[in-house]
Amino acid sequence: MTVTVRFAPSPTGHIHIGNSRTALFNWLFAKKNGGSFVLRFDDTDKERSKAEFADATELDLAWLGIQPARVERQSDRVASYEAAAEKLKSDGLLYPCYETADELERRRSRARALGRPPVYDRAALKLSADEKAALEAEGRKVHWRFLLPNHDGDPFAPRRTEVTWTDLCRGEQSVDLASLSDPVLIREDGTYLYTLPSIVDDIDMGITHVIRGEDHVANTGVQYAIFKALGAEMPTFGHHNLLTTRDGEGLSKRKGALSIGSLREAGLEPMAVASLAVLTGTSQAVEPVSNLDVLAEKFDLSFVSRSAAKFDPADLGGLNAKLVHDMPFEVVEDRLRSLGIRASETFWLLIRENCEKVSDAQHYWQIVYGSIDGKVSEEDREFVAKARDFLPEGDITEETWGAWTSALKADTGRKGRGLFMPLRRALTGLDHGPDMKALLPLIGRQNILDRLPG
């Protein structure tokens, strides 16, 4: 059996870090098992689904390093869903209902008030052909429910019916079908809810493993029954914990919270985002991982915690910085050039440990080769002016800084921060940064003299 997984977002907004976490889990699982990853857009909602969101999702996944084996769109497969629905209808497993949303809510409220679970009572199964015709003549529109196999022939006498599976993340799980309402599969307007198209696609596309958020656990029992009704085996399921904000708030595409596009535009490294998304909420240490191959080796769904995974964007900066600090020049050379920086390897190796993002190199490029607004306090002005006279003659080398500061120390008696900090501020405009010993030769004599007040 070839492992085949899928990521099935609705193109109704930009995917965020929570969505991409599910995509990464599927991608890494397939990668680790020599399998295939299908990107499948749930785009049957014609009002909200947008082509630009689908395009943006493919771009975001590619940025993370996820390249689908193929891309499918449910809007192209409606005929398959209609065929499945007709089969269920002919088998007596998909039945028409006429209740309004208000009527259903009143029934649920009444059941709760009586201490009973708010499960649909299957009243529509008792309707005669004449009663159905009368309801339709009133203008009632039909929606269709799937009859759950939680009875021994009499649907009005449901019995406990356990669906059990071994979850890749949660271990042994079970759902009692008698505790669930018959699910609506087709809306009043004739469009399909998520459930039936997803199952039909999983069957037709040979999906072997479904890895998704734990909010779908209860759906698994229903889906098992529909898989069986369509004559198919259910895939292996894994339900991972959900990613929330640091305050425990759920993420939403509508709010644009932590969208992958915004993280990319902020100059973050894709592997910083992937590392934090995948390792947060697991028993493994959250650390920067250099590429998806290495992350796949570390990845194990059994390490996923049962509790919610809290994602703190502040952690991204530290992970990103660690990745940048280890980047060789050949990896960033083209990126630096795209930023207008024609840097040498010497420049990059000197400044990279002071960069949280690759784009921070622009700041140091300006410091070295551009003009800066040096910071010289009034109390240091005389000292910095004197420093011009003590700058050693000849080429500026890595020995220049030591010789220069030693001469100044002997003449002025200054030492430590009082000696070094005024020079760093005058030459770089910063209180911290790359080693001045190595930075001075790049700045060069003329720039040094131009930045020291006379």
Side-chain angles (χ1 to χ4, degrees):
M1 179 185 67
T2 300
V3 167
T4 304
V5 299
R6 45 79 165 178
F7 175 55
S10 299
T12 55
H14 295 285
I15 63 169
H16 52 62
I17 191 68
N19 308 130
S20 66
R21 184 169 187 254
T22 298
L24 284 162
F25 276 12
N26 279 279
W27 171 260
L28 294 171
F29 185 84
K31 195 172 188 65
K32 192 166 187 173
N33 291 280
S36 178
F37 175 98
V38 177
L39 174 59
R40 190 172 78 209
F41 287 111
D42 177 2
D43 61 350
T44 55
D45 185 338
K46 296 179 181 178
E47 292 296 320
R48 296 175 57 221
S49 295
K50 305 293 181 185
E52 59 262 32
F53 290 136
D55 293 342
T57 294
E58 290 193 61
L59 178 64
D60 290 341
L61 294 180
W63 180 72
L64 288 168
I66 297 175
Q67 298 289 347
R70 68 182 194 269
V71 178
E72 302 280 356
R73 289 173 172 78
Q74 290 190 331
S75 57
D76 296 334
R77 295 179 40 77
V78 175
S80 297
Y81 313 143
E82 291 175 346
E86 287 305 313
K87 172 177 169 49
L88 295 177
K89 289 176 183 178
S90 66
D91 291 342
L93 297 177
L94 197 59
Y95 63 95
C97 302
Y98 298 86
E99 298 92 349
T100 66
D102 286 343
E103 288 171 341
L104 290 171
E105 182 53 39
R106 285 198 294 271
R107 288 187 194 178
R108 286 191 289 264
S109 297
R110 189 161 55 247
R112 283 191 286 262
L114 295 172
R116 297 198 299 261
V119 175
Y120 180 62
D121 59 7
R122 291 172 169 164
L125 285 174
K126 298 178 180 179
L127 295 173
S128 66
D130 288 344
E131 288 171 324
K132 292 176 184 177
L135 289 169
E136 290 177 14
E138 289 178 13
R140 297 264 185 148
K141 293 186 177 180
V142 65
H143 60 273
W144 295 82
R145 290 182 183 267
F146 175 75
L147 181 61
L148 289 171
N150 54 10
H151 57 88
D152 291 320
D154 180 1
F156 301 104
R159 60 171 176 80
R160 187 173 185 84
T161 305
E162 294 279 349
V163 172
T164 303
W165 73 96
T166 301
D167 197 278
L168 294 171
C169 301
R170 303 167 64 87
E172 291 299 310
Q173 298 288 298
S174 64
V175 173
D176 175 19
L177 294 183
S179 69
L180 305 175
S181 294
D182 290 342
V184 176
L185 300 189
I186 305 176
R187 300 181 183 92
E188 290 180 348
D189 63 0
T191 61
Y192 294 92
L193 280 84
Y194 161 83
T195 308
L196 185 60
S198 177
I199 291 170
V200 171
D201 288 346
D202 285 345
I203 294 170
D204 290 351
M205 297 175 191
I207 303 301
T208 62
H209 295 76
V210 175
I211 301 167
R212 57 189 184 176
E214 64 187 2
D215 51 332
H216 289 287
V217 169
N219 300 341
T220 307
V222 167
Q223 291 176 1
Y224 167 82
I226 299 174
F227 271 106
K228 189 173 181 180
L230 293 174
E233 292 294 319
M234 189 170 80
T236 300
F237 281 83
H239 294 90
H240 61 75
N241 55 3
L242 298 178
L243 203 61
T244 70
T245 65
R246 182 178 54 187
D247 298 327
E249 183 182 355
L251 304 180
S252 167
K253 281 193 292 187
R254 294 182 185 179
K255 295 179 181 178
L258 297 170
S259 72
I260 297 302
S262 68
L263 297 176
R264 181 178 67 249
E265 290 168 6
L268 292 166
E269 296 299 316
M271 283 311 302
V273 176
S275 298
L276 190 56
V278 170
L279 299 176
T280 294
T282 73
S283 59
Q284 294 181 302
V286 177
E287 58 186 5
V289 180
S290 58
N291 58 66
L292 289 180
D293 288 334
V294 176
L295 191 57
E297 291 175 9
K298 294 171 66 69
F299 177 72
D300 192 322
L301 285 171
S302 67
F303 293 167
V304 176
S305 170
R306 286 289 195 95
S307 57
K310 293 188 177 182
F311 180 88
D312 187 350
D315 293 336
L316 276 173
L319 292 177
N320 205 80
K322 289 178 181 178
L323 289 170
V324 172
H325 296 171
D326 289 335
M327 284 184 179
F329 179 63
E330 56 268 22
V331 170
V332 299
E333 184 175 8
D334 289 342
R335 292 170 63 182
L336 293 175
R337 188 175 292 111
S338 70
L339 294 169
I341 301 172
R342 295 192 172 276
S344 65
E345 184 172 13
T346 301
F347 170 82
W348 171 247
L349 296 181
L350 174 60
I351 61 99
R352 65 179 180 179
E353 289 192 8
N354 295 97
C355 296
E356 183 176 294
K357 304 172 184 176
V358 171
S359 59
D360 291 342
Q362 288 177 299
H363 180 53
Y364 291 104
W365 182 258
Q366 181 66 25
I367 286 172
V368 172
Y369 298 109
S371 59
I372 65 157
D373 183 15
K375 297 188 294 184
V376 180
S377 66
E378 196 59 41
E379 64 184 45
D380 290 326
R381 185 164 295 278
E382 183 179 343
F383 168 73
V384 172
K386 178 176 285 192
R388 289 176 60 91
D389 300 329
F390 282 81
L391 182 65
E393 296 293 332
D395 294 338
I396 304 296
T397 67
E398 290 199 359
E399 285 70 45
T400 301
W401 177 253
W404 190 20
T405 53
S406 293
L408 282 168
K409 178 180 178 180
D411 184 79
T412 65
R414 288 198 179 211
K415 57 184 178 181
R417 287 179 59 85
L419 173 63
F420 303 121
M421 190 57 67
L423 294 175
R424 177 181 285 279
R425 288 172 175 164
L427 295 175
T428 69
L430 303 174
D431 291 337
H432 56 83
D435 182 6
M436 291 299 294
K437 172 183 174 181
L439 192 60
L440 215 60
L442 295 182
I443 295 175
R445 176 176 293 277
Q446 191 57 54
N447 273 343
I448 293 171
L449 294 173
D450 289 346
R451 296 173 188 182
L452 296 174

